[in-house]
Amino acid sequence: MLKIQDNTYIKRTLEFFIVSILITIITVILAIIFSPSAETFNNMLSDTNLNNSEASGLEKVLQYIINNGFRVPFQMLILAIIPIPFLYYINIMSTSILTGIALGFAISLDAFKGSMMLISSLPYFILEDIGLCAVASGLFLFNKAIINKIISFFKHDKSQTISVKVAFTNLLKMYFSITLPCIIIAAFMETYVANILFDLLT
């Protein structure tokens, strides 16, 4: 039932994931080089999942799931409908950049605690990133199918190699079988495991 009719979706997911990790690493390095003020760092933390004091416990888990499990994938879907390749990847890029800046600033202000913050945030960040990259993998084919449909319409060529319906069905399968479970696990890890790990390391 959940068999995905796309043999390359895992490869694309890994490619998107590698690009995202590289963006994060580069951003961390640049953020370390350009030392910020404490105020800038605190403002950056408020825009990322690395620090969220407004909610705790299950409320924080729920907020995490709603934002990263529903709101962000929906935004990516809307961007994928626009016939411009890789526009849907903006959400993942922005998350990687903001996270990289926050971690880089933390390391710059306090090398030890910043490094421990990076280590403690890696488990949930990687899971979240994989989940969103799986969505991006599905959106790649969905976006390509839309572009091909538009091109075939203007060329009056009804032959289409990629079906929009099949691409969207594959996207839903990826979302429910990979993305949502990853986000749910990441939500609990960010809420409970990250703080425990940070306390143990420091």
Side-chain angles (χ1 to χ4, degrees), residues 18-93:
I18 290 170
V19 171
S20 174
I21 293 299
L22 286 175
I23 291 172
T24 305
I25 292 172
I26 292 170
T27 308
V28 167
I29 294 170
L30 291 175
I32 291 173
I33 294 172
F34 299 100
S35 300
S37 64
E39 183 182 355
T40 304
F41 174 63
N42 289 330
N43 290 336
M44 184 59 62
L45 281 181
S46 66
D47 292 330
T48 67
N49 290 325
L50 297 175
N51 182 32
N52 186 359
S53 58
E54 295 180 0
S56 60
L58 291 177
E59 183 184 355
K60 187 175 181 179
V61 170
L62 185 60
Q63 286 183 7
Y64 188 104
I65 294 171
I66 290 173
N67 184 64
N68 297 315
F70 296 102
R71 188 176 294 131
V72 173
F74 181 73
Q75 290 172 352
M76 292 171 69
L77 175 62
I78 297 301
L79 291 173
I81 295 173
I82 302 171
I84 300 175
F86 303 108
L87 194 62
Y88 48 86
Y89 196 67
I90 289 175
N91 292 75
I92 298 176
M93 285 183 62

Side-chain angles (χ1 to χ4, degrees), residues 49-50 103 106 112-126 186 188-202:
N49 290 325
L50 297 175
L103 290 171
F112 177 72
K113 286 189 176 180
S115 298
M116 295 308 101
M117 182 184 290
L118 187 151
I119 293 171
S120 62
S121 65
L122 277 178
Y124 75 83
F125 174 71
I126 288 174
F188 282 95
M189 293 187 73
E190 195 271 345
T191 303
Y192 299 106
V193 179
N195 291 334
I196 295 172
L197 187 58
F198 181 78
D199 291 337
L200 287 173
L201 292 171
T202 55

Side-chain angles (χ1 to χ4, degrees), residues 2 70 170-182:
L2 287 177
F70 296 102
N170 285 338
L171 171 63
L172 289 178
K173 290 177 180 179
M174 290 179 207
Y175 173 77
F176 285 108
S177 63
I178 301 173
T179 301
L180 198 54
C182 281

